[in-house]
């Protein structure tokens, strides 16, 4: 017992073994590939448009391409089941990742050849396609991480390394891009970044993956119904068709609604563009209900049919037509991932969704108002904010991710998840102190000697207390982020990971988007101090939910819905 425990005891050896693994290296590369286009298309691009003197209204329209990331789950079922002709032998996930990376690289190169003023139409079209390809790549990379994780390259380490790559890409696509643009030109910057992504796509060809050929051979060996949907004891086709029509109609409505909104928003006539704030505040909740809440209830209905033994096939019933086979395929792509998730989690799904909705909401909601707070409320200069937030802050996040990855290995996933939630909540109190003068943060900075260090480089106590605050928050964000992505990855099922993970991660982003309007109004009517107290309290709700989830996993073990590999580090 003692020897076995010693061998299983987590620590630096286990971390180092995981970091030397080939999959870990590719995870860092893919994290970088995911973060770079996001930084370039939803951040740095506006600096280029500003230099080109494009009007603010048009830039506001450009920001709507970010909806591709919020609603990426709408086309995730296709990524789980559809193969790209001629490329499926690359691998189930890799065929989509490499294609997206090469397409993104080509788009950035083409953008470098366009004038954002005289060729604005083409510019916006390519940026929109790029955002769609980038969001698609995110879905597949998340699924790849779940699919290839093993006992050496664990889901915890892969999740942490992915985020480190993502953060490094944000620095390259943000601060470094601005630095290069100041010394060269924007077309040169986007040409360089496009070449980097093309090179990443080439390297991705050699990454490990779930082999599509092996999957196809296994399906051929099982016949026309490889998933057993038409075997005795399965839900009958008529009941499945009702579920498919219901979920398909709801997801189709959401996809069309969002698509029409984005097309109208990119119209040349400003008067024809819809109100984006009104759309998000009114239609956003409806999209969530239509794509998550009601489909989950439909999936629960299917699960109940199976448990009660009603509406089941008494004997095998092979598909009699191509239409029935197409219906089976759509059911496997769209409904079965939801049925699997609801069936595996049961009533625990309510707890899981509550935790997903609250865990990152504090930084997701408040992050939009960070620059107005630094520049407007506290009157810091742009240079001071860049130093504190972009350079020192990113370094703190990366260090937090590394620390979070180690804590996941040493303390376990649930303890690290809870610790991350607690730290993320408490760091809002640091900003509350800044909002009323920052005297406590200044005293902390003086006490630890950080003020003296900043003064040696030409700074002062005022800059030092901002850097300490941002550094502490980003350290907590890194730990919480590493734990949260690892936990999310552990509760989705291999084979359905694209749809399930995309749904959960999109919920996190959507809730932050929906809450910003109310938070902005609260800032105007009350103060930043009150907002930070509120976000702290919201953070404590997430802490409580983490504790409940921790107890659930500990009590249920294998019945908690996690696989054995995930449970070993829970």
């Amino acid at each position: 017992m003692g020897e076995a425990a010693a061998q299983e005891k987590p620590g630096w050896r286990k971390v180092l073994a995981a970091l030397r693994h080939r999959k870990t290296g590719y995870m860092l590369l893919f994290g970088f590939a995911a973060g770079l286009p996001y930084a370039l298309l939803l951040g740095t691009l506006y600096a280029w448009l500003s230099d080109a003197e494009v009007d603010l209204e048009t830039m506001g329209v450009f920001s709507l391409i970010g909806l591709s990331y919020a609603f990426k789950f709408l086309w995730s079922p296709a990524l789980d089941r559809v193969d790209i002709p001629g490329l499926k032998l690359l691998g189930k996930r890799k065929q989509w990742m490499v294609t997206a990376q090469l397409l993104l690289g080509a788009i950035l190169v083409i953008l470098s050849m366009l004038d954002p003023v005289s060729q604005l139409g083409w510019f916006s079209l390519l940026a929109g396609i790029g955002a769609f390809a980038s969001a698609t790549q995110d879905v597949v990379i998340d699924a790849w991480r779940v699919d290839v994780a093993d006992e050496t390259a664990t889901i915890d380490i892969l999740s942490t390394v992915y985020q480190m790559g993502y953060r490094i890409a944000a620095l390259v696509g943000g601060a470094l891009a601005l630095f290069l643009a100041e010394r060269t030109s924007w077309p040169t910057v986007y040409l360089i970044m496009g070449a980097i992504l093309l090179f990443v796509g080439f390297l991705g060809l050699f990454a490990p993956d779930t082999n599509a050929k092996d999957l196809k051979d296994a399906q051929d060996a099982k016949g026309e119904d490889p998933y057993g949907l038409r075997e005795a004891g399965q839900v009958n086709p008529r009941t499945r068709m009702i579920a498919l029509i219901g979920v398909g109609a709801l997801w189709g409505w959401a996809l069309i609604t969002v698509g029409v909104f984005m097309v109208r928003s990119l119209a040349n006539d400003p008067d024809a563009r819809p109100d984006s704030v009104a759309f998000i505040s009114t239609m956003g909740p409806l999209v969530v209900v239509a794509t998550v809440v009601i489909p989950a209830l439909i999936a629960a209905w299917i699960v109940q049919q199976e448990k009660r033994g009603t509406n089941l096939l008494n004997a095998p019933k092979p598909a009699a037509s191509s239409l029935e086979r197409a219906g089976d395929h759509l059911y496997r792509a769209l409904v079965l991932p939801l049925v699997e998730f609801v069936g595996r989690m049961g009533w625990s799904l309510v707890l899981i969704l509550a935790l997903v909705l609250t865990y990152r909401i504090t930084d997701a909601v408040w992050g939009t108002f960070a620059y107005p707070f630094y520049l407007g409320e506290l009157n810091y200069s742009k240079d001071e904010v860049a130093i504190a937030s972009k350079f020192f802050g990113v370094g703190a996040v990366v260090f937090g991710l590394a620390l979070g990855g180690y804590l996941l290995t040493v303390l376990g996933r649930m303890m690290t998840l809870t610790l991350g939630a607690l730290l993320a909540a408490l760091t809002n109190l640091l900003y509350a102190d800044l909002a009323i003068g920052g005297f406590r943060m200044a005293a902390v900075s003086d006490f630890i000697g950080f003020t003296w260090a900043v003064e040696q480089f030409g700074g002062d106590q005022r800059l030092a207390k901002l850097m300490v605050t941002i550094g502490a928050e980003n350290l907590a964000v890194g730990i919480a982020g590493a734990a949260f992505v690892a936990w999310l990855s552990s509760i989705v099922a291999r084979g359905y990971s694209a749809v399930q993970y995309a749904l959960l991660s999109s919920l996190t982003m959507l809730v932050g988007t929906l809450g910003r309007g109310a938070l902005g109004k609260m800032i105007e009517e009350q103060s930043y101090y009150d907002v930070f107290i509120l976000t702290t309290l919201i953070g404590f709700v997430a802490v409580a939910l983490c504790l409940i989830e921790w107890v659930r996993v500990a009590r249920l073990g294998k019945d908690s819905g996690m696989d054995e590999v995930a449970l070993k580090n829970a």
Side-chain angles (χ1 to χ4, degrees), residues 167-242:
R167 295 290 182 172
I168 293 170
L171 189 60
V172 171
L176 181 60
L178 291 170
F179 178 83
L180 290 175
E182 189 70 25
R183 287 151 182 80
T184 57
S185 66
W186 283 115
T188 301
V189 169
Y190 274 74
L191 180 63
I192 293 172
M193 300 298 169
I196 291 174
L197 273 179
L198 289 173
F199 182 62
V200 170
F202 170 74
L203 293 178
L205 290 170
F206 306 98
D209 194 14
T210 303
N211 193 292
K213 184 177 184 301
D214 293 342
L215 181 63
K216 182 179 184 303
D217 291 343
Q219 292 174 356
D220 290 342
K222 293 181 180 179
E224 67 172 4
D225 186 23
Y227 295 88
L229 294 178
R230 292 181 172 271
E231 295 178 357
Q234 296 296 313
V235 176
N236 67 51
R238 181 176 175 276
T239 303
R240 286 195 288 105
M241 185 56 65
I242 293 173

Side-chain angles (χ1 to χ4, degrees), residues 364-405:
V365 171
W366 125 256
T368 303
F369 305 100
Y371 286 119
F373 178 63
Y374 300 145
L375 300 173
E377 182 75 8
L378 302 182
N379 294 315
Y380 282 96
S381 69
K382 293 179 180 178
D383 286 344
E384 289 173 327
V385 173
I387 292 170
S389 179
K390 292 299 183 183
F391 291 99
F392 185 75
V394 170
V397 170
V398 172
F399 180 71
L401 287 168
L403 180 58

